[in-house]
Each structure stands twice: as structure tokens, then as C-alpha cells.
């Protein structure tokens, strides 16, 4: 199983980025997916999650007005659109696949995810 994240970069405060995560080696369309981030000196943090069909997604209050998660099951790809970026959004962003096949729930605990991408750096300058 491989998860390949891309799309990170350096943007100014208020800028936008769209991250992608291409998945191979598992039945992507039957796994809930999530985005996490990890900043230096901080624990890995749940950013957004989406169920296997794409019909339900959830992001915490800290980002829900600015971030949007989506997926294209025909392309085995997960996306994270990020708008109005802030310096506190600076982190390495990881995509991950839920460990339960066909899970209808969106898990926020990193321990519930079994496959992880390599991460892509997002840096927001002040």
C-alpha cells in the first residue's frame, strides 16, 4: 500500500493550497480517509476526515471554515483544499487510511489509521 501526498509549499498568510494524496494497493473507495498535521514540537493533529463514499466529512472548528476535504474514488485520490492560511497552519501534512474496511465513521484518533503517506510540508509566512 502506498499513499503519495503532494501539493505543499510556501505561501503567505491568507494564501491557498490544495493537497493531493494518491493511493495505491488497497480498495480506496471502501476506506475512510483523513488528513493530519504535525508541527515541530507538537503532537500529530487531526485536520479533516471523510468517509469512504465521500458523502460525509468533518473538520474541527479550528479549520472547518477554511479547509475542505474531498475525494475522487475514480482516481484513488484524496484532496485537502486550504484557504485563508495562517502561520499556525505551518506543519507537515499527512494523509492516512482508516484501518477498518468500510468504516462509516470518521475517526479523529491517529491510532485508528493504518496506512500513512510520507507527508508534505506546508509553510505559511507571516
Amino acid at each position: 500500500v502506498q499513499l503519495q501526498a503532494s501539493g505543499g509549499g510556501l505561501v503567505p498568510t491568507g494564501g491557498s493550497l490544495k493537497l493531493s494524496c494518491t493511493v495505491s494497493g488497497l480498495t480506496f473507495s471502501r476506506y475512510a480517509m483523513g488528513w493530519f498535521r504535525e508541527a515541530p514540537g507538537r503532537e500529530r493533529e487531526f485536520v479533516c476526515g471523510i468517509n469512504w463514499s465521500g458523502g460525509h466529512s468533518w473538520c474541527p472548528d479550528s479549520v472547518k471554515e477554511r479547509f475542505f476535504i474531498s475525494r475522487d474514488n475514480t482516481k484513488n485520490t484524496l484532496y485537502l483544499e486550504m484557504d485563508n492560511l495562517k502561520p499556525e497552519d505551518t506543519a507537515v501534512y499527512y494523509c492516512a487510511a482508516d484501518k477498518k474496511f468500510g468504516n462509516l465513521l470518521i475517526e479523529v484518533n491517529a491510532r485508528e489509521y493504518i496506512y500513512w503517506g510520507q507527508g508534505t510540508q506546508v509553510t505559511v509566512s507571516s
Side-chain angles (χ1 to χ4, degrees):
V1 178
Q2 288 191 326
L3 284 72
Q4 183 70 41
S6 62
L10 172 65
V11 295
T13 296
S16 298
L17 283 173
K18 184 175 183 178
L19 307 183
S20 299
C21 175
T22 302
V23 180
S24 60
L26 83 167
T27 309
F28 177 75
S29 62
R30 289 297 179 261
Y31 283 87
M33 299 291 296
W35 285 99
F36 289 77
R37 65 186 180 187
E38 190 170 329
R42 301 185 65 178
E43 293 187 354
R44 192 164 293 192
E45 174 189 21
F46 175 81
V47 177
C48 290
I50 189 167
N51 74 345
W52 58 266
S53 70
H56 179 56
S57 63
W58 186 80
C59 307
D61 289 347
S62 59
V63 302
K64 72 177 182 179
E65 298 296 328
R66 303 182 294 119
F67 290 10
F68 178 71
I69 187 172
S70 62
R71 65 191 297 161
D72 186 339
N73 286 346
T74 68
K75 297 181 179 179
N76 284 7
T77 303
L78 176 74
Y79 303 100
L80 183 69
E81 295 181 65
M82 304 184 293
D83 296 319
N84 191 21
L85 283 161
K86 303 176 181 181
E88 52 263 41
D89 295 318
T90 295
V92 178
Y93 283 71
Y94 299 90
C95 55
D98 193 306
K99 67 182 181 183
K100 294 187 285 291
F101 181 88
N103 192 358
L104 297 176
L105 302 177
I106 295 173
E107 304 288 353
V108 301
N109 192 321
R111 291 191 296 269
E112 298 301 323
Y113 291 80
I114 188 171
Y115 300 113
W116 292 82
Q118 84 287 1
T120 184
Q121 177 71 47
V122 172
T123 303
V124 185
S125 61
S126 57

